Amino acid sequence: MERFAALLDTLVYTRSRNAKLAALAHYLRETPDPDRGYALAALSDGLDFAAVKSSTIRNLMRERVDPELWTLSRDYVGDSAETASLLWPESGDPASPPTVGEAVAALSAMTRANVMEDLPRLLDRLDAEGRYALLKLATGAMRIGISARLAKTAFAQAFDVALEDVEEHWHGQAPPYTALFDWAARGAPAPETGNLPLFRPFMLAHPLGEDEILDLATYAAEWKWDGIRVQVVRSPGESGLGETRLYSRSGDDISASFPEITEALDIDCVLDGELLVRGDAQGGRDGGAGSFNALQQRLGRKTVSKRLRAEAPAFVRLYDLLQREGEDLRARTWHARRAALETLLPRLDPQHFDLSTLIGVTNFADLARLRETARDAAIEGVMLKHRESPYVAGRKTGLWYKWKRDPLLIDCVLMYAQRGSGKRSSFYSDFTFGCWDGDPDAGAELLPVGKAYFGFTDEELKQLDRHVRTHTVQRFGPVRETDKSLVFEVAFDSVHASRRHKSGLAMRFPRISRIRADKPPHEADRLATLRALVQD
Amino acid sequence: MPRDFAWIHPEPWGIHVVPADCWIDPARPVACALVTHGHADHARGGHGETFATPETLAIMKLRYATSQGARPAPYHESVTLPGSVRATWIPAGHVLGSAQILLEHAGERVIVTGDFKRRADPTCPPFEVTPCDVLITEATFGLPVFRHPPVAHEIAKLTRALALQPERCVLVGAYALGKAQRLIAELRAAGHDQTIWLHGAMEAMCRLYENFGIDLGSLKLVSDAPSREALAGHIVLAPPSALNDRWSRRLPDPLTAMASGWMRVRQRARQRGVELPLIISDHADWDELTQTVVDVAPRETWITHGREDAMLRWCELNQRKARALAMLGYEEDEDG
Ligand SMILES: [Zn+2]
Ligand SMILES: [Zn+2]
């Protein structure tokens, strides 16, 4: 556990990506199984222990620390696991710290009935760094700025294997990934994946630069729909009868939320597309897609009612075809795959699968003009794909670009602030802002319209933090109400009707684009302005 | 009904000793100031008279280039002030010359701790527990998460990092008054006798410490280094503000460290871009703060600055009368 704890701290404190990769690769090479496999799982997919939840930490601490002191500490540190690791009474004898493997075994064996006795016993064997590592591992929420992709890249680097191969073999393996280490470190054959419907790593797009112009003879253009990017995979499965899975961009299995999609596919293939619900908010009646807001009510459900399925029927607008009846198409060019997709389409259920149409312009200026209209059509922007590009995992320069429409802007007044978590802890960095519900000079009120956590520079963050601390009028636990004297310009992608806010509006991707210290608060925008932008 | 201890009146910019019309660590110029220690936020210039320990006065002279109105008050030698107030400077263990100020008037005893710590520091005499009726204390690290590890543990972390990558230097951010000299003295005590390289802003204060008889070993200025390579494998000390500025580009691939109690919290270290956090503080940690209240056992505890919420709560839980003074102007960051 000490090595893992040291690794975590190195990852936390190291700034350069290469140095992080080197530290992680070094750990993976030098640490025995199964420790390294569990460590890797903790840093990528996360480990799940049924008896240990983040509330477990709170409950453990409640028995040892005054709740008010706990809350003050937690707010300051910004992370429950770290706070607990610092507050935990030193046992004075961390003589035999458990290995990662031992800790995982102990954590797995814990039940709701004994976790409150058994977890302390592990914590007592560790110092503050070790306790932090253990609690992070146990609650499965690392949040130390290491993406699963970075972990996989480090794995590839540690054993000098290709990242694509790592990602390919990764899915279907469970911690501690012994077969994966045997393959990469000892040259054993690649892990057997059988006929399972496994996730394939997505190909992603770079944002198009401000003044970049692409040749449309080389790049194909299509609309960027505002849903969620998904992969639909069907393969014979263990039974041989066929199994279908729906994966989100991060590789999460979201099949249960959208049974109509998995039920509709009866050909073995891997499809890449945008998950949407029926409607006419995006692209008008011809586009036939509802807003992201409409899709949102279907996300994250374990089961779906008939009524919801009927109200917001889901479908996938197809972008690409990765595999067709056992044949891997990923090495082929984009246009070859597109042709294969178009050939396959008539065999797919039209109610649940349609094709993302190409934008038939040959001149970049025309495309720019069309993109301008994306706002009216409520589409997120356009995609540009190199016609000769193979389907490669990740974001490779020069192959795919996304060209989003420009954001909307509105001037809002800062109303409440809360300390951030993670990197921003101990700064007020979560801001709730509002617009006037009428004429402020005639006594109108500010109503909250959204929250923003980013968009500002570190310098601006300090400025905002100072503003909050010196303009607080009231405190509600960790939240401070300010005197509503500061205006900022908020950029956002779209706005929708919502019952969550008193204003009846919810913004999509709001971020602070500028602090308008120059602007008096009564000149901030009114709700009516925002309401006029709703596109549901 | 007059408030108890009404002769001590805290204002946001300083503590007013009313019968003597003196101010403790005032944030604005006054006719008569009583200064606990030399950190700039406590020892400001421009006062008519300044009572402080000779060490603190020397530090102030270095900073403000004048000793006008300086009134030396050596440790334990009481000064009689107007209005029948007696003031005594008692070691606070914070930095060279740092003191608690004991004020006596009409049979009541009030102590203003200034900044203090309870652990050993080779550069200044240790904090002395002194009984009083009102303890006016700081609470910079007044949250139970702040527990500073033994300093030897942190020094070992530093020397280990140095040995591990001999082609780099370790650039340690340390406050120029107090932290820097303590760090050097602790390194010397741990047997590190190599030259330690200094940012220009560190030099004068180190010389001042040496003039007061504190041996800091071989110190040289980075600007006098014969080459960049000469610094590889060495420790370089700079004020925290210089860690990420242009100045550090002259160093051979520096590993950025910082010596401060704030380094106990990961995100605080990350916010400063620190790769090697060293939890070394010249302030009392939570255990020291609360232990001091227990040891001194005052009738009331007043908290000048820092994280007063948690200290107030602790006092409440332990049935000790306490209040927060909400003093302005004491920096929390740099001298942590
Ligand atoms: Zn100080
Ligand atoms: Zn101070």
Side-chain angles (χ1 to χ4, degrees):
Chain A
M1 191 57 90
E2 295 125 300
R3 288 175 79 163
F4 178 59
L7 170 69
L8 278 192
D9 276 345
T10 305
L11 295 176
V12 165
Y13 295 126
T14 304
R15 276 170 290 179
S16 111
R17 183 182 141 90
N18 283 340
K20 283 184 203 226
L21 281 173
L24 185 47
H26 178 82
Y27 175 88
L28 293 175
R29 258 195 317 270
E30 304 297 324
T31 310
D33 290 319
D35 283 26
R36 59 182 176 182
Y38 287 124
L40 188 59
L43 289 168
S44 54
D45 300 340
L47 288 163
D48 191 27
F49 301 102
V52 192
K53 298 285 159 239
S54 56
S55 60
T56 315
I57 297 183
R58 267 198 314 279
N59 294 336
L60 268 185
M61 297 314 291
R62 191 170 296 151
E63 293 175 7
R64 288 165 177 83
V65 181
D66 170 63
E68 198 175 319
L69 291 178
W70 163 259
T71 305
L72 288 167
S73 300
R74 165 68 185 75
D75 282 352
Y76 182 82
V77 175
D79 179 288
S80 293
E82 183 174 355
T83 311
S85 76
L86 297 174
L87 287 177
W88 193 260
E90 297 290 342
S91 72
D93 176 36
S96 60
T99 65
V100 173
E102 266 179 75
V104 167
L107 289 165
S108 311
M110 286 177 202
T111 63
R112 287 249 283 277
N114 65 21
V115 64
M116 300 299 273
E117 288 79 52
D118 288 2
L119 189 52
R121 236 170 265 148
L122 272 183
L123 288 167
D124 282 339
R125 291 167 65 188
L126 294 160
D127 60 8
E129 285 77 27
R131 294 192 292 263
Y132 172 74
L134 178 79
L135 291 172
K136 282 287 182 190
L137 181 96
T139 49
M142 284 286 166
R143 294 210 188 89
I144 55 163
I146 301 295
S147 65
R149 188 163 170 83
L150 189 111
K152 289 167 192 175
T153 308
F155 181 96
Q157 191 175 307
F159 304 110
D160 200 20
V161 289
L163 175 61
E164 294 74 43
D165 292 340
V166 175
E167 295 203 297
E168 186 83 31
H169 298 317
W170 190 284
H171 267 269
Q173 300 299 308
Y177 311 115
T178 316
L180 206 61
F181 280 100
D182 285 347
W183 160 71
R186 303 200 179 89
E192 196 56 57
T193 52
N195 283 321
L196 300 175
L198 296 181
F199 170 76
R200 311 300 196 282
F202 272 108
M203 178 159 179
L204 304 171
H206 270 284
L208 190 67
E210 193 92 25
D211 300 313
E212 251 176 298
I213 289 180
L214 299 178
D215 179 1
L216 296 185
T218 315
Y219 287 87
E222 61 185 321
W223 294 114
K224 183 172 176 5
W225 300 94
D226 190 10
I228 64 168
R229 182 92 179 273
V230 289
Q231 190 173 95
V232 199
V233 186
R234 190 182 192 276
S235 70
E238 273 173 298
S239 63
L241 297 172
E243 271 180 50
T244 309
R245 295 273 184 282
L246 183 65
Y247 293 107
S248 72
R249 220 187 79 175
S250 51
D252 293 327
D253 184 344
I254 54 168
S255 312
S257 306
F258 299 94
E260 67 262 57
I261 304 293
T262 50
E263 285 159 13
L265 188 62
D266 54 9
I267 301 168
D268 287 349
C269 63
V270 179
L271 298 162
D272 177 340
E274 196 84 12
L275 181 68
L276 297 158
V277 294
R278 293 285 171 199
D280 55 11
Q282 289 193 55
R285 222 161 282 282
D286 296 336
S291 68
F292 181 82
N293 205 38
L295 170 66
Q296 210 164 22
Q297 54 176 322
R298 293 225 28 199
L299 297 177
R301 292 176 186 271
K302 293 208 173 87
T303 57
V304 198
S305 69
K306 268 216 178 89
R307 195 176 58 94
L308 197 57
R309 276 176 68 162
E311 263 175 27
F315 69 101
V316 178
R317 183 149 290 167
L318 299 171
Y319 294 137
D320 216 316
L321 178 62
L322 280 58
Q323 201 165 329
R324 180 193 54 200
E325 294 171 321
E327 187 190 357
D328 197 335
L329 304 178
R330 285 177 290 177
R332 307 250 201 114
T333 61
W334 170 84
H335 61 79
R337 295 194 312 278
R338 174 80 191 184
L341 178 61
E342 287 176 12
T343 312
L344 181 73
L345 191 74
R347 296 169 58 196
L348 299 175
D349 170 7
Q351 227 192 314
H352 296 103
F353 298 98
D354 69 13
L355 192 63
S356 164
T357 49
L358 298 178
I359 304 173
V361 290
T362 51
N363 166 320
F364 198 77
D366 291 341
L367 183 66
R369 231 164 282 130
L370 265 174
R371 170 180 164 268
E372 293 296 308
T373 68
R375 160 81 46 212
D376 300 324
I379 296 170
E380 238 190 310
V382 293
M383 294 290 298
L384 290 149
K385 297 177 177 176
H386 197 292
R387 295 174 191 271
E388 303 297 323
S389 68
Y391 192 99
V392 285
R395 222 172 242 123
K396 291 260 156 54
T397 333
L399 300 185
W400 284 13
Y401 290 97
K402 55 184 170 194
W403 194 18
K404 284 206 183 187
R405 65 190 184 200
D406 295 327
L408 294 164
L409 297 172
I410 194 160
D411 287 332
C412 299
V413 182
L414 173 63
M415 300 182 69
Y416 304 97
Q418 191 169 356
R419 281 190 208 269
S421 54
K423 192 177 139 204
R424 261 75 176 262
S425 71
S426 80
F427 281 110
Y428 286 94
S429 62
D430 296 3
F431 305 105
T432 302
F433 44 81
C435 288
W436 299 104
D437 67 348
D439 181 356
D441 295 322
E445 265 186 280
L446 278 172
L447 286 183
V449 294
K451 263 186 170 210
Y453 314 92
F454 59 97
F456 31 80
T457 62
D458 286 356
E459 214 27 68
E460 286 171 324
L461 174 61
K462 278 188 202 153
Q463 190 186 335
L464 288 166
D465 178 70
R466 209 173 315 125
H467 175 89
V468 171
R469 284 188 287 120
T470 49
H471 291 79
T472 300
V473 293
Q474 229 182 317
R475 301 175 192 210
F476 310 93
V479 178
R480 288 192 180 203
E481 180 179 358
T482 68
D483 60 2
K484 319 209 175 53
S485 58
L486 185 68
V487 176
F488 29 75
E489 183 180 85
V490 175
F492 57 101
D493 281 8
S494 57
V495 59
H496 304 276
S498 158
R499 255 164 289 175
R500 264 180 306 161
H501 295 282
K502 199 174 158 194
S503 61
L505 297 172
M507 294 180 184
R508 190 139 143 75
F509 295 137
R511 60 259 183 203
I512 292 168
S513 76
R514 265 192 310 162
I515 300 175
R516 296 290 308 266
D518 56 313
K519 196 159 197 173
H522 68 265
E523 282 179 24
D525 277 303
R526 301 194 191 168
L527 271 183
T529 314
L530 195 56
R531 213 171 278 132
L533 300 169
V534 170
Q535 274 177 334
D536 282 312
Chain B
M1 196 183 86
R3 202 189 165 105
D4 282 352
F5 312 110
W7 58 281
I8 294 283
H9 187 73
E11 295 281 2
W13 56 88
I15 293 166
H16 194 198
V17 185
V18 182
D21 195 19
C22 291
W23 294 80
I24 297 179
D25 292 354
R28 42 172 86 160
V30 296
C32 177
L34 315 180
V35 170
T36 58
H37 69 287
H39 279 141
D41 48 327
H42 296 259
R44 289 177 203 256
H47 306 308
E49 283 183 296
T50 303
F51 289 87
T53 61
E55 295 86 345
T56 298
L57 290 171
I59 291 164
M60 289 178 76
K61 170 149 195 246
L62 184 63
R63 185 173 302 124
Y64 303 115
T66 169
S67 41
Q68 215 187 343
R71 303 284 178 265
Y75 289 132
H76 304 298
E77 289 178 23
S78 298
V79 174
T80 304
L81 298 169
S84 317
V85 175
R86 232 155 61 111
T88 314
W89 277 252
I90 298 168
H94 175 56
V95 297
L96 179 70
S98 69
Q100 321 168 55
I101 301 177
L102 167 66
L103 299 158
E104 291 167 287
H105 174 73
E108 291 176 333
R109 291 162 62 89
V110 174
I111 283 184
V112 182
T113 64
D115 294 339
F116 74 96
K117 69 172 174 290
R118 301 292 302 271
R119 351 186 140 206
D121 178 336
T123 68
C124 62
F127 181 95
E128 291 174 20
V129 171
T130 309
C132 62
D133 301 296
V134 178
L135 179 69
I136 304 183
T137 177
E138 62 134 327
T140 305
F141 290 107
L143 265 184
V145 290
F146 290 111
R147 287 187 293 182
H148 312 322
V151 71
H153 181 268
E154 301 301 293
I155 294 288
K157 233 161 64 179
L158 173 56
T159 50
R160 211 180 314 126
L162 202 62
L164 221 55
Q165 291 171 294
E167 70 291 355
R168 303 178 75 177
C169 73
V170 181
L171 170 63
V172 188
Y175 201 63
L177 164 55
K179 188 68 61 62
Q181 297 77 24
R182 178 179 174 213
L183 194 66
I184 296 168
E186 293 286 3
L187 278 161
R188 299 307 184 211
H192 182 85
D193 44 24
Q194 280 183 358
T195 294
I196 292 174
W197 298 83
L198 302 179
H199 182 281
M202 297 284 188
E203 192 194 15
M205 201 57 79
C206 288
R207 298 297 167 224
L208 185 145
Y209 266 61
E210 286 171 337
N211 290 341
F212 277 97
I214 292 150
D215 182 14
L216 299 177
S218 165
L219 304 177
K220 283 187 187 146
L221 286 180
V222 169
S223 53
D224 293 339
S227 67
R228 175 193 291 250
E229 289 65 39
L231 299 169
H234 285 255
I235 292 173
V236 177
L237 287 188
S241 58
L243 285 188
N244 301 312
D245 76 6
R246 298 173 61 87
W247 177 83
S248 66
R249 290 190 205 158
R250 67 185 72 190
L251 305 173
D253 189 18
L255 176 74
T256 310
M258 176 129 131
S260 157
W262 303 112
M263 297 298 108
R264 173 93 167 155
V265 174
R266 285 176 179 74
Q267 296 306 338
R268 284 296 288 243
R270 277 172 56 94
Q271 281 154 5
R272 299 298 304 248
V274 170
E275 296 165 283
L276 177 68
L278 302 170
I279 311 167
I280 300 178
S281 175
D282 286 332
H283 288 267
D285 67 7
W286 173 258
D287 294 339
E288 295 169 58
L289 285 170
T290 54
Q291 189 59 45
T292 300
V293 177
V294 171
D295 291 346
V296 175
R299 281 159 57 195
E300 289 188 23
T301 301
W302 300 358
I303 301 155
T304 52
H305 65 297
R307 322 249 133 221
E308 61 273 10
D309 297 354
M311 276 299 284
L312 285 177
R313 175 65 178 162
W314 180 89
C315 289
E316 184 191 339
L317 290 170
N318 291 275
Q319 277 107 45
R320 290 175 191 275
K321 197 166 171 193
R323 65 187 266 226
L325 305 183
M327 310 277 297
L328 300 177
Y330 297 122
E331 301 287 339
E332 67 159 34
D333 256 325
E334 300 302 344
D335 72 337

